[in-house]
Amino acid sequence: MSELLKKIDARTKLAGTNKLEILLFTLGHDQRTGRKETFGINVFKVREVMRTPAITSAPEMPDTVEGMVSLRGALVPVIDLAKYAGIVTEKTPEIMIVTEYNGHTQGFLVEAVDTILRLDWSAMRVPPEMINHRMGGLVTAVTELENNTLVMMMDVEKVLAATTPIDDSHYFINIEPVNEECMVFFADDSAVARKQIERTLDTMKIRHMSSANGLRAWEDIQRLASQADQAGKKLKDSLHLVLTDVEMPEMDGYMLTRMIKSDPRCEGIPVLMHSSLSGQSNQKLGESVGVDAYVSKFEPHKLSSKIRELLKI
């Protein structure tokens, strides 16, 4: 397992090229459908892969949370992804993927890991409605391999939100509304993240538009730029900030930023990167493509503070 992941730290060089590397894994044969689906997770979110250690049951946890394991002195919740995805299997999962994002560490139980696959984000497509419905909105992107295998990228933020249900209303206390008319455009492929961003912006009384991936965001921004041109105005007078995730199908946040910063019509519009990939290397890569500021998910007060800073209000 360690051999498979030992070079993950070097993979940050892919960012800014619209490429990514994903760890492929399976959850077992589904007894209801007879199918064995292949899933993927960005290697930036994977801390390690190991044989499933002894799991300690814990009270009052969701059905899909098997319990807790101790990793280097820290208690980590363990989620059975097959149960979460509604896949009925006979085998007990023997492999645990330890993931780290949004400041949280958790273990995902899977049947097996396969390989690390390098792809271009343009090969990752928005999932068809049929898959969205069948998987309960769990999949954020899909791609087809040369052997006709369909790989589905899991919405890890949705998994985390569903398996650690908490009252997050206190996160939004004392966020003050702004006193000026502002417009923010944000892009994020996670429905959970989009709702969190919307809630922050609504609390700040900021108007907003959004898109579910980088390519659609770029198309929408180009459309706004054309409308501004036709009206004889500058885009920065009607669009005051772009907020973008890093991981998105078709075009990632690094490439979206590069496109924005290279278009003269977008001059003067700051770009704020908002991502669960909060490592220093990712922040540096964001800066290299022109990102004006970086804030990790999901901390509404830090997000609202950074938005105010960039909007200069």
Side-chain angles (χ1 to χ4, degrees), residues 8-275:
I8 278 182
D9 288 342
R11 300 179 190 279
T12 54
K13 64 185 179 182
L14 292 177
T17 63
N18 210 40
K19 296 186 183 296
L20 79 157
E21 287 189 335
I22 59 176
L23 175 65
L24 303 184
F25 63 90
T26 57
L27 301 178
H29 280 97
D30 191 336
Q31 294 180 359
R32 300 168 308 167
T33 65
R35 293 175 57 86
K36 185 175 184 177
E37 309 288 6
T38 300
F39 296 88
I41 183 171
N42 194 318
V43 296
F44 284 136
K45 289 179 173 157
V46 178
R47 199 170 82 181
E48 57 187 307
V49 178
M50 62 174 64
R51 293 286 175 185
T52 303
I55 300 174
T56 302
S57 297
E60 298 182 8
M61 283 198 164
D63 292 341
T64 54
V65 178
E66 293 296 294
M68 311 287 287
V69 298
S70 179
L71 294 179
R72 288 174 285 280
L75 286 177
V76 174
V78 179
I79 299 158
D80 188 328
L81 282 185
K83 284 185 181 178
Y84 183 85
I87 295 173
V88 181
T89 64
E90 288 184 345
K91 291 184 178 180
T92 300
E94 298 179 348
I95 302 298
M96 185 170 75
I97 302 175
V98 181
T99 66
E100 192 169 33
Y101 56 93
N102 285 15
H104 298 271
T105 301
Q106 48 279 313
F108 288 155
L109 297 182
V110 303
E111 178 202 44
V113 294
D114 185 358
T115 187
I116 290 177
L117 183 68
R118 179 175 294 189
L119 295 169
D120 193 290
W121 271 113
S122 63
M124 304 298 295
R125 303 298 183 188
V126 175
E129 189 58 39
M130 178 181 65
I131 291 180
N132 257 333
H133 179 74
R134 181 162 63 89
M135 300 301 297
L138 179 60
V139 176
T140 59
V142 297
T143 191
E144 188 175 0
L145 306 184
E146 290 181 359
N147 62 1
N148 296 324
T149 297
L150 186 71
V151 177
M152 297 181 282
M153 289 283 283
M154 277 197 169
D155 185 348
V156 288
E157 283 150 355
K158 182 177 177 66
V159 175
L160 181 61
T163 54
T164 55
I166 55 174
D167 179 8
D168 62 357
S169 58
H170 65 281
Y171 290 150
F172 300 88
I173 295 175
N174 297 326
I175 293 180
E176 297 291 335
V178 302
N179 297 318
E180 298 180 23
E181 185 74 13
C182 298
M183 166 65 80
V184 170
F185 190 105
F186 66 90
D188 201 300
D189 65 336
S190 169
V192 170
R194 288 198 301 274
K195 287 180 181 178
Q196 291 172 330
I197 296 167
E198 283 178 7
R199 190 170 177 184
T200 303
L201 293 173
D202 286 344
T203 303
M204 296 179 73
K205 305 297 183 185
I206 291 177
R207 292 187 302 117
H208 50 79
M209 296 175 60
S210 66
S211 182
N213 70 61
L215 181 59
R216 291 183 183 177
W218 177 234
E219 291 170 349
D220 288 340
I221 291 169
Q222 285 183 301
R223 187 158 44 250
L224 292 173
S226 296
Q227 292 172 357
D229 278 348
Q230 292 172 6
K233 298 179 179 179
K234 293 184 179 296
L235 180 58
K236 67 178 183 179
D237 294 332
S238 56
L239 176 60
H240 303 100
L241 174 71
V242 174
L243 175 68
T244 179
D245 187 18
V246 172
E247 300 178 280
M248 294 180 289
E250 299 186 329
M251 181 186 290
D252 68 9
Y254 295 116
M255 185 60 69
L256 173 60
T257 301
R258 180 170 282 170
M259 300 293 283
I260 292 170
K261 293 299 184 179
S262 63
D263 190 329
R265 298 176 301 173
C266 298
E267 183 180 358
I269 300 174
V271 176
L272 174 58
M273 188 159 277
H274 181 238
S275 174

